[in-house]
Amino acid sequence: MLKRRISAIGAVFVSAALLAGCSAAGAGAGEDGDGKGTIKMVSWPGPEGDAMSKVVDAYNAGQGKKDGVTVDMVLLSRQDTFSKETALMASKSSDMDIYWTASYNVGQYSPSLEPLDGIDTSNYFQVAVDGLSYEGSLYALPLDVSNHFLLYRTDLIEHLLTDETARADYARISAAVLGEAREPKDPNEWDLEDYKAMAAYFSEAENPASPTEYGTILQAKNLLYNTMIWDDVLWGYGGGWAEDGTATLDTEAATKAVELYADIYTNKWTSPDSAQAEFPETQAALQSGSVAFALQWSAAFASLNDPAQSPDVAGKIGIANVPGGKSHVHALSVSLNKYSKNKAAATTWLDYLATPEAMTLYAEAGGIPAMPAVLEANTDINPAFAQVSSTIASGYSVPVFPQTFQAYSKIAEDLSGAWVGQTPAAEALATANANLQELLDQ
């Protein structure tokens, strides 16, 4: 158990202090607190914070009373949570006992966090555990997992698959786009070439009879989270960010990944608004029926399938794996502040959060827990849980290093122009590769 690990660390510290002839002040059992009282935990507004608040309420009203621990959840701004935490960490503050963290910043934050090496990780997705580990130590407890799906219009695909005229049109368009005629497939069988041909088929610019104006929408805005979406294409072509500490954005796979975006954009198989699109714009395009499919975050499905929120498409949205078979996975998480004055009580709470019971409450409250067994047992709550579980099992995580978060931003800055055909792919990738190497070397 995590608690025992922290106690062991405290015991080592006490022994060292006594050997050095130090007084008990500032060391010993009091170093981690007495295991009781109120602890403060950072969270952020939104579905994850909403779900967590219900778990906190349940704990404080039940198990927390037995433990003698009360959790005070502190909501910071969704936009500024990490910058405020960075400031607290820089000052070695003990104001917060537990920080809100994520796969993409745990390496950067690790000097201010207590390793959680004693925790049993067998209940979690391994990719989530890997993404929260740095230099051999786990620095955060997985909480919520995010991945991507291909979300598509089932009615439009069903027509294409069964109508002979539509199939012939698709074969003709795919031959023009790919240089080979293809048969239309179920979206779960698409590779990235099918994705490209389908984008053309469902676009009026290529197919005046298309039922949608555009085939898809690209999240091509200069935004770090859009790098995570583009990474699916990069990994799908067999590429990645780095190998053995050397940046690998100058490869053929990276070139193909950039050129796929640029081809779709410049051929008008996506809206020109893609240059400024991210999650909300993609959601709006799917809800309005202006596109036939899109790569989108897993959290999007529930609202698209809700008649109140998406009256035109609810019940017509299907879920498929990302073409190419690779989905980015990151975990939102919670971490123990290295400078907390009440680590013992904080670890009691973290031990509770690590139970399937706590994560079942989290799922019931709208979260997407990082525990496959909990997702599979609760598909009646959210039909997407089953697909989340199978997709994450084959997901990937980017390399964890102190500048991971900055790397996401820099890649978006360097490549977003090339994604929409404004900058040659080779030139943009050379710049991105050099900048990534610089961050890897820091």
Side-chain angles (χ1 to χ4, degrees), residues 19 21 50 76 90 117 139 217 222 224-225 314 334 342 380:
L19 287 171
D50 292 345
L76 300 179
D117 295 336
Y139 279 96
I217 180 168
N222 177 6
L224 70 94
Y225 300 107
V334 286
N342 202 0
D380 58 324

Side-chain angles (χ1 to χ4, degrees), residues 294-384:
L295 300 182
Q296 179 63 306
W297 294 88
S298 53
F301 175 76
S303 64
L304 290 170
N305 200 40
D306 179 358
Q309 297 182 63
S310 307
D312 293 335
V313 299
K316 300 177 184 176
I317 297 292
I319 306 172
N321 294 331
V322 172
K326 297 293 184 182
S327 171
H328 161 97
V329 176
H330 75 241
L332 297 173
S333 53
V334 286
S335 298
L336 180 57
N337 180 7
K338 180 178 177 180
Y339 304 103
S340 166
K341 300 297 186 186
N342 202 0
K343 292 178 189 172
T347 54
T348 295
W349 162 243
L350 291 179
D351 277 338
Y352 172 76
L353 275 185
T355 64
E357 292 75 17
M359 288 297 94
T360 297
L361 286 175
Y362 186 73
E364 292 171 347
I368 305 178
M371 290 185 176
V374 172
L375 292 178
E376 291 162 10
N378 290 283
T379 53
D380 58 324
I381 298 173
N382 185 339

Side-chain angles (χ1 to χ4, degrees), residues 103-104 126-133 231 235 240-242 326-331 392 394-400 404 408:
S103 306
Y104 43 78
Q126 187 59 46
V127 68
V129 174
D130 292 345
L132 296 170
S133 299
D231 277 348
W235 258 260
W241 278 15
K326 297 293 184 182
S327 171
H328 161 97
V329 176
H330 75 241
I392 288 179
S394 60
Y396 66 88
S397 57
V398 301
V400 178
T404 301
Y408 276 118

Side-chain angles (χ1 to χ4, degrees), residues 60-308:
N60 287 342
Q63 184 62 43
K65 292 186 180 299
K66 298 176 184 176
D67 295 337
V69 175
T70 299
V71 180
D72 179 10
M73 195 172 86
V74 181
L75 281 177
L76 300 179
S77 158
R78 192 173 182 92
Q79 196 167 21
D80 298 328
T81 292
F82 294 139
S83 61
K84 290 179 178 177
E85 288 188 332
T86 299
L88 290 170
M89 292 177 190
S91 65
K92 300 183 179 180
S93 171
S94 61
D95 287 353
M96 300 296 166
D97 300 288
I98 296 176
Y99 285 123
W100 189 256
T101 52
S103 306
Y104 43 78
N105 59 24
V106 76
Q108 176 188 355
Y109 288 172
S110 59
S112 300
L113 306 177
E114 194 74 62
L116 308 180
D117 295 336
I119 200 163
D120 178 7
T121 60
S122 62
N123 288 325
Y124 294 102
F125 289 111
Q126 187 59 46
V127 68
V129 174
D130 292 345
L132 296 170
S133 299
Y134 177 60
E135 295 186 338
S137 292
L138 180 69
Y139 279 96
L141 188 71
L143 179 63
D144 197 290
V145 286
S146 293
N147 68 293
H148 305 145
F149 289 133
L150 177 76
L151 300 181
Y152 65 95
R153 286 281 299 277
T154 54
D155 54 331
L156 303 183
I157 295 296
E158 177 66 20
H159 180 264
L160 171 58
L161 292 175
T162 56
D163 184 89
E164 288 305 318
T165 300
R167 292 176 66 88
D169 287 342
Y170 179 78
R172 174 180 53 79
I173 290 172
S174 62
V177 169
L178 305 176
E180 62 170 317
R182 288 198 170 194
E183 293 288 324
K185 303 172 186 171
D186 181 282
N188 277 297
E189 300 174 1
W190 290 5
D191 60 19
L192 288 165
E193 300 306 291
D194 295 312
Y195 172 79
K196 181 177 180 178
M198 286 288 180
Y201 172 80
F202 282 110
S203 295
E204 291 178 352
E206 199 72 32
N207 176 14
S210 170
T212 55
E213 185 174 6
Y214 302 106
T216 190
I217 180 168
L218 300 175
Q219 298 190 35
K221 181 181 179 180
N222 177 6
L223 180 73
L224 70 94
Y225 300 107
N226 287 349
T227 298
M228 299 174 185
I229 295 278
W230 176 76
D231 277 348
D232 292 348
V233 182
L234 174 63
W235 258 260
Y237 277 130
W241 278 15
E243 187 171 348
D244 298 328
T246 300
T248 55
L249 290 180
D250 56 352
T251 60
E252 181 181 353
T255 301
K256 291 173 69 175
V258 169
E259 290 181 346
L260 176 62
Y261 264 40
D263 283 349
I264 290 173
Y265 187 86
T266 58
N267 282 299
K268 301 180 180 179
W269 303 334
T270 183
S271 165
D273 295 338
S274 287
Q276 295 301 318
E278 52 173 306
F279 179 96
E281 290 77 14
T282 301
Q283 200 75 338
L286 287 165
Q287 287 173 318
S288 69
S290 65
V291 302
F293 58 86
L295 300 182
Q296 179 63 306
W297 294 88
S298 53
F301 175 76
S303 64
L304 290 170
N305 200 40
D306 179 358

